[in-house]
Amino acid sequence: MSINIHVQHEDFDLASEYTSLRSRTSKIGAVVTFTGLVRDFERLHDDPTSGQNLHTLTLEHYPGMTERLIAEIVDEALQRWSAFGVTVIHRVGCLRPNEQIVFVGVTSEHRENAFKIAEFVMDYLKTKATFWKKVDLNGQQQWIMAKHSDTKAAAKWTEDSDE
Amino acid sequence: MSINIHVQHEDFDLASEYTSLRSRTSKIGAVVTFTGLVRDFERLHDDPTSGQNLHTLTLEHYPGMTERLIAEIVDEALQRWSAFGVTVIHRVGCLRPNEQIVFVGVTSEHRENAFKIAEFVMDYLKTKATFWKKVDLNGQQQWIMAKHSDTKAAAKWTEDSDE
Amino acid sequence: MINLLFFGRLGDLAQNVDHSIVYDGQLRTPKELVHELEVAHPRLVAALREPQVLVSVNKMVVKWDHPLFDGDEIAFLPPVTGG
Amino acid sequence: MINLLFFGRLGDLAQNVDHSIVYDGQLRTPKELVHELEVAHPRLVAALREPQVLVSVNKMVVKWDHPLFDGDEIAFLPPVTGG
């Protein structure tokens, strides 16, 4: 097992992460990657009509606590499903639309585990890891509110242990 | 919406596919990729103890029918979940361990749809698309049997329409 | 002319089968085609009759009593194993 | 010395708050700390008391009556929005 967790301002390169994940064992049958991008608009609430043009997105985090919480999320995923490698990269600082913001990559023997782990880690990253987003919408700075849909997404893993 | 389906002998490049998928709209918030690799052993049945070393894997398909069936699978996925782009690449011919065999890439506004579509397409590719695998295990050629676990994986999408 | 295609392990068993059949004007079905192969190719026919084998006509999966016409392409498809 | 950290929108509201407090030897809790800020920083305290705000001591989330000791790092955490 190889777990890599990075919280960084620098951008990341999907191809490098993929190559690194693949290289670890010849037993890998499945590689799942999730990449989150900064959209050019932001819905400030769950209201689908509230979208506004986004100029920049600034991510703050709690250094030290964030990395530990991500490690806990990955550990919990690996207690449920087996994998060969998990890489999590989350960017912080000021980002612009279309930039990469978060990466989760998982290698496993069979596809189901890799999909489940990637989805589980993303759901919990959104609801447990100490990141806060501030948006600049046409010059107006505003902290993003937590989304009910994210809380619901994380809750599904506890409601249905078969998932 | 942009759908790309390729059945080809040539290898594919994850980074190119990712760049191409990302480039289509600035509304993309999520990119999910699945890459299947040739493992260096093959379980001929669902028996987990039956693994044998694999020298080569040969994929046969039914040209014309395969592409149409993959397009139907993607269409069915897109009736359930929305996306900006879906790319499916499946290799055929003789492959060696660690080679890439299949790629599914999906872009969407939110992560859940991209994950669902990628997983749905993979489950149905395994059970509906006209590919047949033959393995060379230490010089002995053998056709792979369909796996019960794959049939079960595809069935889950019809049993539970909430998925 | 009717063209026959055999995929996967069916292809190995069908190596000595004529893959083109002159269409004789009579209405035939995939089921009847298989029956006609039985004496010369008993192992192939046993494999074709396994319940998971599907038959397609012109790249569409059909029932075994689907009527065949001149120019049709008949394919015999064992359970698929791609992905 | 006890260090205070305020994240997200709490940071904006806490710009005029002293982020280091001399530890006076008395057992205190995050709840008491917040109470002491109330007169000078009513808007901050109202935000700190919203039910979804969590408090951590030395990077572990704790209850609001968790005892504090010299050298502790107290952080106030609004609902997270990463990913």
mmCIF file of all heavy atoms in Angstrom, chain A residues 5 16 18 33 41 45 51-52 59 62 74 76-77 85 87 90 101 112 123 159 163:
data_model
loop_
_atom_site.group_PDB
_atom_site.id
_atom_site.type_symbol
_atom_site.label_atom_id
_atom_site.label_comp_id
_atom_site.label_asym_id
_atom_site.label_seq_id
_atom_site.Cartn_x
_atom_site.Cartn_y
_atom_site.Cartn_z
ATOM 1 N N ILE A 5 -0.396 12.040 0.263
ATOM 2 C CA ILE A 5 -1.320 13.142 0.518
ATOM 3 C C ILE A 5 -0.550 14.445 0.431
ATOM 4 O O ILE A 5 0.491 14.601 1.086
ATOM 5 C CB ILE A 5 -1.955 12.979 1.916
ATOM 6 C CG1 ILE A 5 -2.869 11.735 1.912
ATOM 7 C CG2 ILE A 5 -2.747 14.237 2.313
ATOM 8 C CD1 ILE A 5 -3.242 11.253 3.285
ATOM 9 N N SER A 16 1.648 12.533 -14.565
ATOM 10 C CA SER A 16 2.686 12.106 -13.619
ATOM 11 C C SER A 16 2.083 11.288 -12.488
ATOM 12 O O SER A 16 2.651 10.270 -12.072
ATOM 13 C CB SER A 16 3.385 13.305 -12.978
ATOM 14 O OG SER A 16 3.789 14.205 -13.944
ATOM 15 N N TYR A 18 -0.655 9.583 -12.520
ATOM 16 C CA TYR A 18 -1.103 8.301 -13.078
ATOM 17 C C TYR A 18 0.083 7.353 -13.245
ATOM 18 O O TYR A 18 0.031 6.182 -12.848
ATOM 19 C CB TYR A 18 -1.795 8.572 -14.416
ATOM 20 C CG TYR A 18 -2.191 7.344 -15.187
ATOM 21 C CD1 TYR A 18 -3.224 6.533 -14.747
ATOM 22 C CD2 TYR A 18 -1.550 7.010 -16.380
ATOM 23 C CE1 TYR A 18 -3.605 5.407 -15.470
ATOM 24 C CE2 TYR A 18 -1.927 5.899 -17.112
ATOM 25 C CZ TYR A 18 -2.957 5.102 -16.651
ATOM 26 O OH TYR A 18 -3.312 4.000 -17.375
ATOM 27 N N THR A 33 -9.267 7.946 -11.564
ATOM 28 C CA THR A 33 -8.830 9.278 -11.147
ATOM 29 C C THR A 33 -10.034 10.208 -11.113
ATOM 30 O O THR A 33 -10.931 10.121 -11.956
ATOM 31 C CB THR A 33 -7.781 9.894 -12.096
ATOM 32 O OG1 THR A 33 -8.413 10.301 -13.314
ATOM 33 C CG2 THR A 33 -6.643 8.936 -12.390
ATOM 34 N N PHE A 41 -18.458 29.670 -12.597
ATOM 35 C CA PHE A 41 -19.535 30.313 -11.850
ATOM 36 C C PHE A 41 -19.701 29.530 -10.564
ATOM 37 O O PHE A 41 -19.200 28.424 -10.409
ATOM 38 C CB PHE A 41 -20.844 30.331 -12.637
ATOM 39 C CG PHE A 41 -21.426 28.964 -12.813
ATOM 40 C CD1 PHE A 41 -22.526 28.557 -12.076
ATOM 41 C CD2 PHE A 41 -20.855 28.067 -13.689
ATOM 42 C CE1 PHE A 41 -23.048 27.282 -12.225
ATOM 43 C CE2 PHE A 41 -21.370 26.795 -13.845
ATOM 44 C CZ PHE A 41 -22.460 26.410 -13.121
ATOM 45 N N HIS A 45 -25.677 29.050 -2.863
ATOM 46 C CA HIS A 45 -26.496 28.194 -2.008
ATOM 47 C C HIS A 45 -26.869 26.984 -2.836
ATOM 48 O O HIS A 45 -26.360 26.811 -3.929
ATOM 49 C CB HIS A 45 -27.733 28.959 -1.554
ATOM 50 C CG HIS A 45 -27.387 30.316 -1.038
ATOM 51 N ND1 HIS A 45 -26.843 30.508 0.207
ATOM 52 C CD2 HIS A 45 -27.451 31.532 -1.629
ATOM 53 C CE1 HIS A 45 -26.598 31.802 0.365
ATOM 54 N NE2 HIS A 45 -26.951 32.449 -0.726
ATOM 55 N N GLY A 51 -26.456 31.090 -9.683
ATOM 56 C CA GLY A 51 -25.107 31.086 -10.243
ATOM 57 C C GLY A 51 -24.616 32.484 -10.612
ATOM 58 O O GLY A 51 -25.357 33.293 -11.147
ATOM 59 N N GLN A 52 -23.361 32.769 -10.282
ATOM 60 C CA GLN A 52 -22.769 34.056 -10.643
ATOM 61 C C GLN A 52 -21.374 33.812 -11.207
ATOM 62 O O GLN A 52 -20.732 32.839 -10.866
ATOM 63 C CB GLN A 52 -22.649 34.941 -9.397
ATOM 64 C CG GLN A 52 -23.969 35.424 -8.843
ATOM 65 C CD GLN A 52 -23.756 36.420 -7.723
ATOM 66 O OE1 GLN A 52 -23.059 37.406 -7.907
ATOM 67 N NE2 GLN A 52 -24.315 36.140 -6.577
ATOM 68 N N LEU A 59 -8.639 29.328 -1.546
ATOM 69 C CA LEU A 59 -8.790 28.237 -0.590
ATOM 70 C C LEU A 59 -7.867 28.437 0.594
ATOM 71 O O LEU A 59 -6.643 28.507 0.449
ATOM 72 C CB LEU A 59 -8.459 26.908 -1.255
ATOM 73 C CG LEU A 59 -9.687 26.279 -1.913
ATOM 74 C CD1 LEU A 59 -9.340 25.742 -3.254
ATOM 75 C CD2 LEU A 59 -10.248 25.205 -0.995
ATOM 76 N N TYR A 62 -6.294 24.552 7.267
ATOM 77 C CA TYR A 62 -5.675 24.518 8.587
ATOM 78 C C TYR A 62 -4.472 23.573 8.489
ATOM 79 O O TYR A 62 -4.638 22.358 8.606
ATOM 80 C CB TYR A 62 -6.699 24.021 9.609
ATOM 81 C CG TYR A 62 -6.295 24.111 11.065
ATOM 82 C CD1 TYR A 62 -7.212 23.790 12.064
ATOM 83 C CD2 TYR A 62 -5.016 24.518 11.473
ATOM 84 C CE1 TYR A 62 -6.873 23.873 13.416
ATOM 85 C CE2 TYR A 62 -4.678 24.598 12.801
ATOM 86 C CZ TYR A 62 -5.603 24.276 13.778
ATOM 87 O OH TYR A 62 -5.264 24.343 15.106
ATOM 88 N N VAL A 74 -8.717 8.569 4.143
ATOM 89 C CA VAL A 74 -8.147 7.504 3.298
ATOM 90 C C VAL A 74 -8.094 6.189 4.085
ATOM 91 O O VAL A 74 -8.460 5.123 3.559
ATOM 92 C CB VAL A 74 -6.753 7.903 2.775
ATOM 93 C CG1 VAL A 74 -6.078 6.736 2.067
ATOM 94 C CG2 VAL A 74 -6.856 9.118 1.838
ATOM 95 N N GLU A 76 -9.992 5.249 6.508
ATOM 96 C CA GLU A 76 -11.337 4.683 6.650
ATOM 97 C C GLU A 76 -11.779 4.021 5.350
ATOM 98 O O GLU A 76 -12.375 2.934 5.362
ATOM 99 C CB GLU A 76 -12.332 5.773 7.066
ATOM 100 C CG GLU A 76 -13.630 5.140 7.534
ATOM 101 C CD GLU A 76 -14.660 6.143 8.046
ATOM 102 O OE1 GLU A 76 -14.259 7.191 8.586
ATOM 103 O OE2 GLU A 76 -15.864 5.856 7.887
ATOM 104 N N ALA A 77 -11.469 4.636 4.225
ATOM 105 C CA ALA A 77 -11.813 4.027 2.930
ATOM 106 C C ALA A 77 -11.112 2.678 2.775
ATOM 107 O O ALA A 77 -11.710 1.703 2.305
ATOM 108 C CB ALA A 77 -11.422 4.968 1.785
ATOM 109 N N GLY A 85 -2.771 1.673 -4.157
ATOM 110 C CA GLY A 85 -2.259 3.020 -3.934
ATOM 111 C C GLY A 85 -3.373 4.049 -3.946
ATOM 112 O O GLY A 85 -4.362 3.900 -4.669
ATOM 113 N N THR A 87 -3.635 8.388 -3.962
ATOM 114 C CA THR A 87 -3.003 9.705 -3.955
ATOM 115 C C THR A 87 -4.089 10.769 -3.843
ATOM 116 O O THR A 87 -5.084 10.710 -4.570
ATOM 117 C CB THR A 87 -2.199 9.934 -5.258
ATOM 118 O OG1 THR A 87 -1.172 8.952 -5.343
ATOM 119 C CG2 THR A 87 -1.565 11.334 -5.266
ATOM 120 N N HIS A 90 -4.675 18.307 -2.811
ATOM 121 C CA HIS A 90 -5.647 19.407 -2.740
ATOM 122 C C HIS A 90 -4.882 20.711 -2.793
ATOM 123 O O HIS A 90 -3.960 20.924 -2.014
ATOM 124 C CB HIS A 90 -6.457 19.318 -1.435
ATOM 125 C CG HIS A 90 -7.776 20.017 -1.540
ATOM 126 N ND1 HIS A 90 -7.896 21.344 -1.866
ATOM 127 C CD2 HIS A 90 -9.035 19.550 -1.386
ATOM 128 C CE1 HIS A 90 -9.179 21.662 -1.890
ATOM 129 N NE2 HIS A 90 -9.900 20.603 -1.614
ATOM 130 N N ILE A 101 -8.217 21.826 -9.007
ATOM 131 C CA ILE A 101 -8.254 22.137 -7.582
ATOM 132 C C ILE A 101 -7.983 20.917 -6.714
ATOM 133 O O ILE A 101 -7.318 21.016 -5.690
ATOM 134 C CB ILE A 101 -9.590 22.840 -7.217
ATOM 135 C CG1 ILE A 101 -9.742 23.064 -5.719
ATOM 136 C CG2 ILE A 101 -10.794 22.112 -7.730
ATOM 137 C CD1 ILE A 101 -10.886 24.005 -5.367
ATOM 138 N N GLU A 112 -14.289 -2.026 -8.979
ATOM 139 C CA GLU A 112 -15.280 -1.564 -8.016
ATOM 140 C C GLU A 112 -14.613 -0.870 -6.826
ATOM 141 O O GLU A 112 -15.059 0.197 -6.388
ATOM 142 C CB GLU A 112 -16.157 -2.724 -7.533
ATOM 143 C CG GLU A 112 -17.379 -2.189 -6.797
ATOM 144 C CD GLU A 112 -18.176 -3.257 -6.089
ATOM 145 O OE1 GLU A 112 -17.851 -4.456 -6.244
ATOM 146 O OE2 GLU A 112 -19.112 -2.879 -5.360
ATOM 147 N N ASP A 123 -16.264 12.503 -1.213
ATOM 148 C CA ASP A 123 -17.422 12.888 -0.392
ATOM 149 C C ASP A 123 -16.976 13.382 0.979
ATOM 150 O O ASP A 123 -17.499 14.371 1.496
ATOM 151 C CB ASP A 123 -18.388 11.704 -0.235
ATOM 152 C CG ASP A 123 -19.221 11.467 -1.495
ATOM 153 O OD1 ASP A 123 -19.197 12.323 -2.393
ATOM 154 O OD2 ASP A 123 -19.888 10.420 -1.573
ATOM 155 N N GLU A 159 -25.327 5.481 5.997
ATOM 156 C CA GLU A 159 -26.696 4.954 5.966
ATOM 157 C C GLU A 159 -26.740 3.547 5.411
ATOM 158 O O GLU A 159 -27.490 2.708 5.853
ATOM 159 C CB GLU A 159 -27.578 5.844 5.076
ATOM 160 C CG GLU A 159 -28.050 7.087 5.789
ATOM 161 C CD GLU A 159 -28.558 8.127 4.805
ATOM 162 O OE1 GLU A 159 -28.678 7.813 3.609
ATOM 163 O OE2 GLU A 159 -28.818 9.249 5.249
ATOM 164 N N GLU A 163 -23.040 -0.255 0.566
ATOM 165 C CA GLU A 163 -22.516 0.540 -0.563
ATOM 166 C C GLU A 163 -21.028 0.294 -0.751
ATOM 167 O O GLU A 163 -20.235 0.473 0.134
ATOM 168 C CB GLU A 163 -22.783 2.016 -0.288
ATOM 169 C CG GLU A 163 -24.091 2.459 -0.894
ATOM 170 C CD GLU A 163 -24.051 2.428 -2.398
ATOM 171 O OE1 GLU A 163 -24.322 1.364 -2.981
ATOM 172 O OE2 GLU A 163 -23.749 3.444 -3.001
#
